[in-house]
Each structure stands twice: as structure tokens, then as C-alpha cells.
């Protein structure tokens, strides 16, 4: 494993929380980031990632799938290697990054998450963008039932 001099595009890393990665996907990404060659190529097997993180290979596979879905990893590489998005890759220097990104042979695919300044709402909240009101009475007490139900002892 060779360490890459650590020049990164810090602006894109500030937007990374917008991707809403699972904790496992973020752990996998952190290991990949630490083990990449200049330009973002990582030579690692899922089995090695699973061992390093003490998780199953299926969990690693799901995490890599999520990273590919978000555009953080390129999905077109052969088994045993992954490519980190060129905007998130490490480079030897700023000129190295600029030259790599300007090179016509460098494929820069789209990121599939918002890169703005404000993190969007969680997609798992089914109430987002609906007219759901968790307090429709505006804080008023709910009406008590007319008669209380009869309680019976079980048994």
C-alpha cells in the first residue's frame, strides 16, 4: 500500500454528508480513500474490506453498491479494483488534480446527490413534501371519549 500525498478537493468533501450514506458505506469509503493511488484507483478485494471492518462481504457489497449509486465510485471497473470519483480522489498536488481533470482520457461521471450548501431532508421520512400535520389541532387537547371502555382482567 502506497500513501498518496494528501491533496484533496475539500469543497466536495463538505458536500459528502448530502449523499446520506449509511454508516457502513461511509466506513468503506473511508478505507478506500486511505488506500487509493493518486487519481483514485484502489486495488482491494471485498473480502479484505470485510476483514478490515469486521463485517460480512454481503454488507461490503451493499455499501459499495450504495457508493456506486451515489456516483462516488465508478461501477465499470474489474473485480479487485474500484475507482473513486475524480473530484473526490487524492492527488499529489493541485496542479496534478487540475491536469488529471483536464485530461480528455479522464472520465468524470455525475454525482447522484446534491452538492449545495444545505443538506436536503432525509428521504426516509415519508412525511416530507406532503400535507401531513403531526399536530392538526394546533396544540389543543384531544377530546376525551364519552364513555370509558370497560376493563377486564386477563386470565
Amino acid at each position: 500500500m502506497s500513501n498518496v500525498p494528501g491533496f484533496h478537493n475539500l469543497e466536495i468533501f463538505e458536500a459528502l454528508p448530502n449523499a446520506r450514506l449509511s454508516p457502513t458505506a461511509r466506513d468503506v469509503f473511508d478505507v478506500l480513500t486511505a488506500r487509493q493511488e493518486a487519481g483514485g484507483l484502489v486495488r482491494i478485494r471485498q473480502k479484505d474490506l470485510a476483514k478490515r471492518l469486521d463485517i460480512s462481504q454481503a454488507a461490503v457489497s451493499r455499501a459499495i453498491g450504495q457508493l456506486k449509486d451515489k456516483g462516488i465510485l465508478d461501477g465499470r471497473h474489474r473485480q479487485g479494483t474500484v475507482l473513486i470519483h475524480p473530484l473526490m480522489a487524492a492527488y499529489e498536488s493541485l496542479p496534478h488534480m487540475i491536469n488529471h481533470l483536464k485530461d480528455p482520457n479522464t472520465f468524470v461521471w455525475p454525482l447522484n446527490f446534491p452538492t449545495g450548501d444545505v443538506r436536503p431532508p432525509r428521504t426516509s421520512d415519508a412525511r416530507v413534501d406532503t400535507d401531513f400535520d403531526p399536530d392538526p389541532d394546533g396544540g389543543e387537547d384531544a377530546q376525551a371519549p364519552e364513555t370509558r371502555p370497560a376493563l377486564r382482567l386477563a386470565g
Side-chain angles (χ1 to χ4, degrees), residues 12 14-20 70 111-121:
I12 198 67
E14 187 173 343
L16 190 57
N18 296 354
R20 300 240 182 239
K70 298 290 183 174
L111 291 167
N112 298 321
F113 62 91
T115 55
D117 291 341
V118 178
R119 183 163 62 178

Side-chain angles (χ1 to χ4, degrees), residues 8 11 20 32 77 94 117-118 123 141 147:
H8 290 86
E11 289 180 28
R20 300 240 182 239
L32 295 175
H77 277 269
L94 176 60
D117 291 341
V118 178
T123 56
D141 291 335
T147 58

Side-chain angles (χ1 to χ4, degrees), residues 39 71 73-77 83-87 89 91 100-111:
L73 298 179
D74 184 13
R76 304 176 303 151
H77 277 269
L83 183 63
I84 296 173
H85 193 284
L87 293 176
Y91 297 94
H100 182 75
L101 291 172
K102 286 184 175 182
D103 185 336
N105 293 324
T106 299
F107 176 58
V108 180
W109 60 93
L111 291 167

